[in-house]
Amino acid sequence: MKALKEGAVADTAQIEGSSLNTNAALKQQVDDIDNLFSEEISAFSTLWNTPFCHGDTEDKHDVNGNANDNVNLSADYGDAQASNRLKFTSLSSRFPHAPANAVSMWIADMDTAPSKHIARAISAFVSSHYGYQSVDICEVVAARYAKQGADIAANSVVSTASVMAAVDTALKVSTTKGDKVMVLSPTYGPLRERITAQGLKVVDVSVDDISIKETDLDRNITALLDAGSTAFVLCHPNNPSGTVLSEPLQHEIARFCETHNITLILDEVHSEFGFVGTETTANNSAANTRSNTKNTAHHGNNTCAIKPFAIDSQFAQDTIIRINSAGKAFNLSAIPAASYAIIANDELRDKFAREIDSCHLEASPVAKVALIAAYEKADDWLACVLKAIAFNRQYAQALINVLSPTTPFTLGEAGYFLWLNLNQRFVNDTFIEVCKRGVIGVDGASFNAPGFLRLNLACHPSTIKTALLRLFS
């Protein structure tokens, strides 16, 4: 068996560990999808430069379990530094049930190198500056939001070392131990952890329930939100489901929080990954899926940033702490790029800024240089990445529709996550069973959703195909 060439997707029989007890007809359907998508796969494969399996080696058994020798993907897919990335180095310690060749789709970074504009800016800065530095990001952040149709004042921006540092600080300045804090659930685990770590009580608000379209939004909000809460930590777009709440619903939530003096703490770190209007229906044929995918892949159909949450609700801005970063959108976790909070209310912003300063949680000068370069020079890079992810989302959907059409899944309108409901497929020890099959995602239990799995689709299409074959064959 030959190693895969750049731009190719593994043949079904090449996927080891996938338990492929599939009939010829199903195999043909999978092959048909690859043939239908061959143009897009070829166009986008060169963007993804990380080996699809831990250990840089392709699977060593065929569909019948026979061994195949001399197979290595590192020369073709190889990211020379892939073995140093946390998503690969920590597999054996974090996921002891996983085989050595497990595909790694858990951590939220992307399998592509960041824009060279950012690397050049950082290199130039560190080679010519020393000592404490003053680098301002306020005007750059305001300009970034202006591109998205949002008018924010530059002096409302406070830089922070990370999104979680900003969330933690926002909770400190807006709550008291014992208070109730709402979260849009399921949600990113560390957000819940920071709430409980401060002695606060988590009140879950179901994203599925609240996003149901009803004519009487006031009744919906009254029934689902807790007027006795002090804060509402809302990850938008939602991580892991990718849900984008409608603008009327955003305004109703903002109105509720303003009325009841609830601080709305918004984590908008995935907002650059917007794919509004790019999805096909859950049971579309591969041919129809291809048609929509081509529109997305070649024309960037609505691949753009999600409009900031309730930004048009001027009455509510004084109750909002808006948190964002260039880190996710521009794949800068290794630096990381600067994060920031946007706080219109002068008193709340001053309180927040003092807390950041006293704990030395301001973004570093290098992090700020990275953010400035990303926001001012890397939009072409981001546009290419968005198109590639838009295709990967369509490709994953097409494969699921063939391999397991009854499995509930969510892609949402934003983000690069596939959110799978595996409760019916793996009734007991769902995450352990998934790991044993050689698929490493994030356990839904960490999002308060046991039996679910989050997979990161910002990777080579072969990774997606391998994972889904292992899960559903």
Side-chain angles (χ1 to χ4, degrees), residues 136-148 150-154 156-159 322 324-326 338-342 368 371-372 375-376:
D136 182 57
I137 65 170
C138 297
E139 295 289 348
V140 174
V141 170
R144 187 72 180 180
Y145 274 73
K147 285 184 178 181
Q148 300 167 14
D151 183 16
I152 68 163
S156 68
V157 179
V158 181
S159 81
R322 197 180 299 280
N324 210 332
S325 171
S339 299
Y340 51 88
I342 300 171
K368 293 178 181 179
L371 178 143
I372 293 169
Y375 279 1
E376 292 188 337

Side-chain angles (χ1 to χ4, degrees), residues 255-384:
R255 174 72 73 183
F256 182 93
C257 290
E258 191 265 346
T259 299
H260 298 284
N261 197 28
I262 297 170
T263 303
L264 186 54
I265 301 171
L266 299 170
D267 173 359
E268 298 184 317
V269 71
H270 290 283
S271 60
E272 296 273 9
F273 298 99
F275 305 100
V276 177
T278 65
E279 301 306 332
T280 56
T281 57
N283 295 311
N284 260 1
S285 67
N288 286 337
T289 303
R290 171 180 164 78
S291 176
N292 286 323
T293 300
K294 286 179 70 63
N295 187 39
T296 297
H298 295 297
H299 304 292
N301 180 24
N302 294 326
T303 54
C304 61
I306 298 299
K307 191 174 183 180
F309 188 95
I311 194 69
D312 295 329
S313 300
Q314 293 304 317
F315 62 85
Q317 297 309 304
D318 274 355
T319 62
I320 292 176
I321 298 177
R322 197 180 299 280
I323 298 168
N324 210 332
S325 171
K328 292 300 181 188
F330 295 91
N331 209 29
L332 300 175
S333 299
I335 298 175
S339 299
Y340 51 88
I342 300 171
I343 309 173
N345 182 279
D346 293 339
E347 182 179 353
L348 183 59
R349 182 176 62 256
D350 289 346
K351 191 175 180 181
F352 180 95
R354 287 195 300 271
E355 184 69 23
I356 289 291
D357 183 63
S358 68
C359 296
H360 298 274
L361 291 176
E362 183 180 358
S364 72
V366 172
K368 293 178 181 179
V369 167
L371 178 143
I372 293 169
Y375 279 1
E376 292 188 337
K377 298 180 179 180
D379 275 345
D380 288 345
W381 176 93
L382 179 58
C384 179

Side-chain angles (χ1 to χ4, degrees), residues 168-325:
D168 202 46
T169 302
L171 289 168
K172 286 181 179 178
V173 302
S174 62
T175 65
T176 302
K177 186 176 181 179
D179 285 353
K180 293 187 291 182
V181 176
M182 291 182 284
V183 295
L184 196 62
S185 185
T187 199
Y188 181 53
L191 294 177
R192 301 175 65 89
E193 291 168 6
R194 296 323 307 154
I195 295 170
T196 57
Q198 292 195 32
L200 304 165
K201 300 174 183 177
V202 175
V203 177
D204 285 296
V205 178
S206 168
V207 66
D208 291 332
D209 291 344
I210 205 170
S211 60
I212 292 175
K213 294 178 174 59
E214 295 184 10
T215 56
D216 188 354
L217 286 174
D218 287 327
R219 181 177 61 82
N220 191 21
I221 293 297
T222 301
L224 295 172
L225 301 185
D226 186 337
S229 293
T230 305
F232 189 174
V233 176
L234 199 158
C235 188
H236 192 264
N238 179 258
N239 175 8
S241 71
T243 301
V244 176
L245 300 180
S246 68
E247 287 194 33
L249 183 53
Q250 292 178 32
H251 294 166
E252 289 299 321
I253 291 172
R255 174 72 73 183
F256 182 93
C257 290
E258 191 265 346
T259 299
H260 298 284
N261 197 28
I262 297 170
T263 303
L264 186 54
I265 301 171
L266 299 170
D267 173 359
E268 298 184 317
V269 71
H270 290 283
S271 60
E272 296 273 9
F273 298 99
F275 305 100
V276 177
T278 65
E279 301 306 332
T280 56
T281 57
N283 295 311
N284 260 1
S285 67
N288 286 337
T289 303
R290 171 180 164 78
S291 176
N292 286 323
T293 300
K294 286 179 70 63
N295 187 39
T296 297
H298 295 297
H299 304 292
N301 180 24
N302 294 326
T303 54
C304 61
I306 298 299
K307 191 174 183 180
F309 188 95
I311 194 69
D312 295 329
S313 300
Q314 293 304 317
F315 62 85
Q317 297 309 304
D318 274 355
T319 62
I320 292 176
I321 298 177
R322 197 180 299 280
I323 298 168
N324 210 332
S325 171

Side-chain angles (χ1 to χ4, degrees), residues 1-3 13-15 58-62 68-71:
M1 183 173 62
K2 297 185 296 181
Q14 289 179 290
I15 308 300
E58 190 188 352
D59 304 320
K60 297 182 175 65
H61 297 77
D62 62 22
N68 291 280
D69 299 321
N70 302 317
V71 177

